[in-house]
Amino acid sequence: ASQGIQNVAELGNNTAFNNEVATAIGNGTANQWLQEGFTPFAAESSATMTNIEVSEAFPLLTLAAMIAPSPDWMIAINSLSLVDTQGDWITSITLDLYPYDAGTDSGVHYTSANNETNPQGVITSLQGVAPFSSEKVGTLTISLQSVLSDPEISGQNLALYPNPSVDGQFTIEGAEPLASAEVYSLLGERVYAMSADAQTQIRLDLSALGTGLYLVKVTSTEGESLVRRVVIQ
């Protein structure tokens, strides 16, 4: 567990986690920070977030919430993909949530005194581990409202071919000068990047990557971005 996840699990405090996400946003590996409190704070409570807008370049969702009171127990999802293996947005996702131990406090009861785990352990499932049973402790539901498109960067003035490619070679042609091209796996990992040096045509050599579906993010010199799906056969 990072310091941010430790603070969420032990204290219900999001400050350090927020800072970690902000750093990830700054280096291009995350897109946005999401936060919504559970209400009411009772034996049964819920939290709802609506009108969250995400892009194909950042299709993964990570959430964490403290089980309170507790030593370091939480519910969480890590890098849940909102797109399927074909790169299409999933219409509806429903997941049962089970408790996790953050590995930072060795207390065994809900109200155990602070007992730092040293050395720090790893995050582990508490499903079926006292005081929990094998039953779920929550449910997460995600619903797709609509698929949006920005008309300024809808891709009408950009061509990417051939797609699919049998050898990992792609050509990108734009009506405007291009600044860069980045390629991401469906897990959100950047696997390729190049500068376009304000050219209107560039070639991507992705032959070192394995077969499958990837997301190509093309950015113009004006700062506009477009994400396209490509397939290497």
Side-chain angles (χ1 to χ4, degrees):
S2 67
Q3 186 63 55
I5 289 296
Q6 177 179 347
N7 288 3
V8 169
E10 292 189 8
L11 307 171
N13 186 302
N14 293 334
T15 301
F17 190 30
N18 190 343
N19 292 338
E20 291 169 359
V21 174
T23 298
I25 293 173
N27 62 33
T29 58
N31 174 249
Q32 59 184 303
W33 163 260
L34 303 176
Q35 177 175 302
E36 183 66 39
F38 278 79
T39 55
F41 289 98
E44 295 184 7
S45 59
S46 63
T48 302
M49 290 183 284
T50 59
N51 300 320
I52 305 302
E53 190 171 317
V54 297
S55 71
E56 285 184 311
F58 297 93
L60 306 182
L61 179 65
T62 295
L63 297 170
M66 178 189 188
I67 296 175
S70 74
D72 62 342
W73 304 336
M74 63 181 180
I75 55 175
I77 58 169
N78 181 32
S79 301
L80 173 68
S81 179
L82 303 182
V83 298
D84 60 23
T85 55
Q86 301 302 313
D88 296 318
W89 295 106
I90 301 173
T91 303
S92 180
I93 300 173
T94 300
L95 291 177
D96 292 335
L97 302 179
Y98 298 91
Y100 286 97
D101 187 306
T104 59
D105 190 297
S106 297
V108 295
H109 302 293
Y110 285 102
T111 56
S112 294
N114 184 52
N115 182 15
E116 180 180 356
T117 301
N118 189 13
Q120 180 174 319
V122 297
I123 298 173
T124 56
S125 172
L126 289 173
Q127 185 179 1
V129 178
F132 297 99
S133 68
S134 60
E135 298 296 319
K136 67 180 181 180
V137 297
T139 302
L140 173 68
T141 301
I142 303 169
S143 299
L144 175 67
Q145 292 180 315
S146 61
V147 179
L148 307 176
S149 177
D150 186 334
E152 293 184 357
I153 55 174
S154 62
Q156 295 179 1
N157 297 320
L158 186 139
L160 192 157
Y161 60 89
N163 191 18
S165 169
V166 296
D167 58 4
Q169 305 290 330
F170 297 89
T171 297
I172 299 175
E173 292 183 0
E176 302 293 333
L178 304 176
S180 64
E182 299 170 292
V183 180
Y184 294 84
S185 71
L186 286 184
L187 294 179
E189 178 186 5
R190 190 172 72 172
V191 294
Y192 181 91
M194 66 170 290
S195 172
D197 298 324
Q199 300 179 68
T200 57
Q201 183 184 90
I202 56 176
R203 289 183 58 83
L204 300 182
D205 182 359
L206 307 184
S207 57
L209 303 180
T211 59
L213 178 69
Y214 296 89
L215 301 176
V216 177
K217 180 181 179 181
V218 182
T219 303
S220 73
T221 54
E222 298 298 321
E224 296 177 344
S225 297
L226 169 73
V227 176
R228 282 284 186 85
R229 288 172 288 183
V230 298
V231 176
I232 302 176
Q233 293 182 334

